[in-house]
Amino acid sequence: MWNLIFWIICLLINFGLLAIVFYALLCLTDLEVDQMDPFVATANINRWILLEFALQAALSILLLFTGHWILFLVAVPLTCYHAMLFIRRQHLIDVTEVFRNLNTDKKHRMIKLGVYMIFFTVCVFRLILWRKGISLMLWW
């Protein structure tokens, strides 16, 4: 039963991460085609960045404490990247440099979206397997 609760929590965290990154990509794309004001776009994106970092850290800690080592090792580089950005105070998008860093920010968020999609797929796959009663190794 705890395994089901664990995968449901992971699924919800991943869904939140996917929504945040997709929303940021949507804001950056709207900014690129002049559908959104730079001040509004950066305020909308910056509002969700710390929540994204906290959810990613919570996911990594959850994977570590539950013994899912392979998934933890896949999640740790992104968590370390977020920690590095936060320590260097480069985690927020600056209004004055938003157009200069637009393509770089979009590429970073596309990579994050890919990583979160992989985690989301694994969580859904594990929930389906749990429902059918198929047991895999604990680390997967």
Side-chain angles (χ1 to χ4, degrees):
M1 186 65 180
W2 292 109
N3 204 14
L4 174 66
I5 293 170
F6 166 75
W7 288 113
I8 289 174
I9 290 170
C10 284
L11 187 70
L12 293 174
I13 289 173
N14 280 311
F15 186 72
L17 289 169
L18 280 170
I20 290 169
V21 171
F22 185 74
Y23 179 71
L25 273 171
L26 190 66
C27 286
L28 289 174
T29 304
D30 285 349
L31 181 65
E32 187 177 33
V33 295
D34 290 334
Q35 294 290 328
M36 190 178 283
D37 185 50
F39 295 105
V40 173
T42 54
N44 288 342
I45 294 171
N46 289 340
R47 179 182 313 139
W48 296 101
I49 286 179
L50 289 179
L51 180 62
E52 177 191 354
F53 287 8
L55 285 175
Q56 176 65 32
L59 180 65
S60 294
I61 290 170
L62 189 64
L63 291 170
L64 175 66
F65 288 148
T66 57
H68 293 85
W69 307 115
I70 301 297
L71 290 176
F72 170 72
L73 291 175
V74 172
V76 141
L78 189 56
T79 306
C80 290
Y81 174 70
H82 287 165
M84 179 194 68
L85 287 178
F86 187 76
I87 290 170
R88 291 182 181 173
R89 298 196 180 274
Q90 296 175 347
H91 59 288
L92 298 177
I93 296 178
D94 187 18
V95 176
T96 59
E97 296 183 3
V98 67
F99 287 110
R100 185 179 315 147
N101 300 329
L102 188 64
N103 288 329
T104 306
D105 284 338
K106 282 177 61 176
K107 286 178 188 174
H108 287 174
R109 295 190 196 292
M110 287 297 283
I111 292 169
K112 284 183 189 182
L113 187 67
V115 170
Y116 294 148
M117 284 298 293
I118 290 170
F119 275 106
F120 188 77
T121 305
V122 168
C123 288
V124 169
F125 180 70
R126 290 300 304 233
L127 277 173
I128 291 170
L129 288 180
W130 185 88
R131 177 75 173 130
K132 293 188 180 241
I134 300 171
S135 171
L136 291 178
M137 300 172 117
L138 180 62
W139 57 268
W140 175 240

